[in-house]
Amino acid sequence: MPRYSFTLNGNQVSVEAPADHPLLWTLRDQLGVTGPKMGCNLDVCKACTCLIDGEAYTTCVTGMADVEGREVTTIEGLADGDELHPVQQAWLEIDVPQCGFCQPGQIMKAVSLLRKTSEPTDAEIDEIENVCRCGTYFRIRTAIKEAAKMTGN
């Protein structure tokens, strides 16, 4: 079985897995990282969203061969020690989550968006396709704009 090495939340890891084995299952089952959630397993709900080299990816459809040598960041690796990432801080201040299931994926997608645009418009935020079964979209939009202010954008 092939071995793949990549950086996970700042630490070098190496795992054996089939090339098309979903990153989500490697993270959860082999590496014990449970922030990315399994929702649909079809790239629809996007609860498993993580960053790969700073870009948002749905890990349920990203194979292990696609992460070789790359940098993977999950919700667990977003904060800097005890200091939350501005998006995480905004999420708390705006009190976004209800059930919380989709929130790690929502936050990772928001981080990716803010890396691309410093002042996202409502339309750009609405392009985020992550599903929230609690319907917290209005608070998500508010939190993303608050996070943009926190980062000086």
Side-chain angles (χ1 to χ4, degrees):
M1 189 171 310
R3 177 168 285 280
Y4 298 99
S5 297
F6 58 98
T7 303
L8 174 62
N9 297 331
N11 299 306
Q12 190 68 30
V13 296
S14 181
V15 296
E16 289 185 2
D20 61 349
H21 188 70
L23 173 61
L24 173 63
W25 297 117
T26 298
L27 292 171
R28 294 184 63 85
D29 295 344
Q30 292 182 261
L31 299 171
V33 177
T34 58
K37 305 298 184 209
M38 197 290 280
C40 66
N41 214 26
L42 298 167
D43 192 23
V44 175
C45 76
K46 304 183 188 309
C48 63
T49 301
C50 294
L51 303 180
I52 300 177
D53 294 338
E55 292 280 330
Y57 279 83
T58 45
T59 58
C60 69
V61 294
T62 301
M64 288 305 301
D66 295 325
V67 297
E68 171 65 28
R70 299 177 78 182
E71 184 174 334
V72 176
T73 306
T74 68
I75 191 76
E76 289 90 343
L78 202 54
D80 184 11
D82 291 335
E83 186 174 332
L84 293 177
H85 186 279
V87 174
Q88 293 172 305
Q89 188 62 45
W91 242 247
L92 291 175
E93 290 180 13
I94 305 300
D95 198 20
V96 173
Q98 286 189 11
C99 83
F101 185 82
C102 71
Q103 298 306 308
Q106 299 278 6
I107 289 171
M108 300 310 282
K109 187 66 177 190
V111 169
S112 179
L113 173 64
L114 290 173
R115 287 182 176 175
K116 293 177 185 169
T117 181
S118 59
E119 294 183 36
T121 64
D122 288 348
E124 289 169 324
I125 294 170
D126 289 346
E127 289 177 9
I128 294 176
E129 297 176 329
N130 294 44
V131 175
C132 175
R133 64 184 176 193
C134 300
T136 61
Y137 300 109
F138 181 77
R139 291 198 308 261
I140 288 170
R141 178 185 296 166
T142 303
I144 291 171
K145 290 184 174 186
E146 186 63 27
K149 291 178 196 169
M150 287 182 195
T151 58
N153 295 327

